[in-house]
Amino acid sequence: MEHLELLLRTIFLYLVILITFRLMGKREIGELSVLDLVVFIMLAEIASMAIENTADSIFHSLIPMLGLVGIQIVFAYVSLKSKWFRDLIDGRPTIIINKGNIDEKAMKKQRYNFDDLLVQLREKDIRNISDVEFAILETSGKLSVFKKEPKGNGKRDHSKGDITMPLIIDGNIQEENLRRINKSKDWLLEELNKKGDLQVKDISFCSYDQGKMYVDINNK
């Protein structure tokens, strides 16, 4: 009888966690945010204790599990609406290699060493750092790499910009990225005005690359 109870508890909690993960949305394991990871670990620990402690009612474990799911859903919703909150929870991408030059200060800030860099470059079949134009450490811990292009291939004009830069996210101007492309807030507002007197607060995403601006209006 005891073994049957353990089996039923395991099946029940398996279904609860399966439904919970579905509610939390689709995301690859390597792209989990810190918030997702904490919730997953805590759910696993609570489920483990609920299976082992057969003397306690299994429904006592559902209360903290449902509480964690509620917190995660609320935080995920706030994260969708607030860039500031998203940066606070998930952090921001960090440029590790910028125009072929390694940014040691950025690496130190992220507690990211050269062994980490070389390992992730090898995973992308890059043997030499000198072949890299840009390397960006994403919030998921993955490294996005842009190789240097052979001179004279005519693919990119570096005088117009080096990499796609988000200038507006969720109605907020990314002033740090404006400085990276040597542009001002006044320039951005003037460019938006040329596109039909667009208001910053109405723009969900705006990026700039190779002298071209992409603008997406919030459709909510």
Side-chain angles (χ1 to χ4, degrees):
M1 190 67 181
E2 182 180 347
H3 293 90
L4 178 60
E5 184 179 357
L6 283 173
L7 178 61
L8 292 176
R9 278 173 172 262
T10 301
I11 294 173
F12 177 74
L13 288 170
Y14 169 79
L15 293 174
V16 169
I17 293 177
L18 184 63
I19 294 171
T20 297
F21 284 4
R22 291 290 292 155
L23 290 174
M24 291 170 65
K26 297 180 179 179
R27 192 178 291 193
E28 292 182 11
I29 296 298
E31 296 177 353
L32 294 178
S33 68
V34 174
L35 177 62
D36 292 331
L37 188 59
V38 170
V39 171
F40 285 5
I41 291 173
M42 293 186 69
L43 284 175
E45 185 66 22
I46 293 171
S48 176
M49 291 189 295
I51 292 173
E52 294 176 357
N53 299 330
T54 55
D56 295 335
S57 171
I58 195 170
F59 294 102
H60 289 169
S61 300
L62 286 181
I63 297 174
M65 293 178 73
L66 292 175
L68 284 172
V69 174
I71 290 173
Q72 200 279 341
I73 292 175
V74 170
F75 277 20
Y77 178 79
V78 175
S79 181
L80 285 173
K81 300 296 181 180
S82 171
K83 177 69 166 57
W84 174 85
F85 186 78
R86 192 159 61 244
D87 289 343
L88 179 66
I89 297 297
D90 294 338
R92 304 178 67 181
T94 302
I95 298 178
I96 300 298
I97 299 178
N98 189 359
K99 300 179 183 177
N101 298 312
I102 298 173
D103 189 336
E104 289 83 1
K105 289 183 178 179
M107 290 179 65
K108 185 177 181 181
K109 185 177 180 181
Q110 297 298 323
R111 294 179 292 281
Y112 186 81
N113 58 51
F114 280 98
D115 288 334
D116 297 327
L117 176 60
L118 292 174
V119 166
Q120 291 193 293
L121 288 178
R122 286 196 295 269
E123 289 175 347
K124 296 183 178 294
D125 298 325
I126 296 175
R127 294 180 292 178
N128 199 327
I129 292 179
S130 63
D131 295 332
V132 179
E133 183 75 9
F134 289 95
I136 303 172
L137 185 63
E138 307 292 355
T139 58
S140 64
K142 291 184 177 181
L143 190 70
S144 298
V145 178
F146 300 85
K147 291 183 179 180
K148 290 180 179 178
E149 294 176 355
K151 294 182 179 180
N153 64 0
K155 288 185 178 180
R156 290 187 69 88
D157 180 0
H158 290 278
S159 65
K160 292 184 179 181
D162 303 293
I163 193 171
T164 301
M165 281 291 175
L167 302 183
I168 299 175
I169 299 177
D170 294 335
N172 297 305
I173 296 176
Q174 308 300 299
E175 297 189 12
E176 181 179 343
N177 289 342
L178 277 173
R179 290 193 292 271
R180 285 176 177 168
I181 61 173
N182 297 317
K183 302 293 184 181
S184 66
K185 182 177 178 180
D186 290 337
W187 168 85
L188 176 59
L189 295 176
E190 184 178 343
E191 290 297 312
L192 293 177
N193 187 54
K194 292 178 182 178
K195 292 182 175 293
D197 194 24
L198 300 176
Q199 300 298 312
V200 173
K201 63 182 178 60
D202 297 328
I203 297 174
S204 61
F205 185 80
C206 170
S207 63
Y208 182 81
D209 180 38
Q210 290 288 284
K212 296 180 180 180
M213 183 176 288
Y214 169 81
V215 179
D216 181 74
I217 303 299
N218 199 323
N219 59 7
K220 63 180 180 179

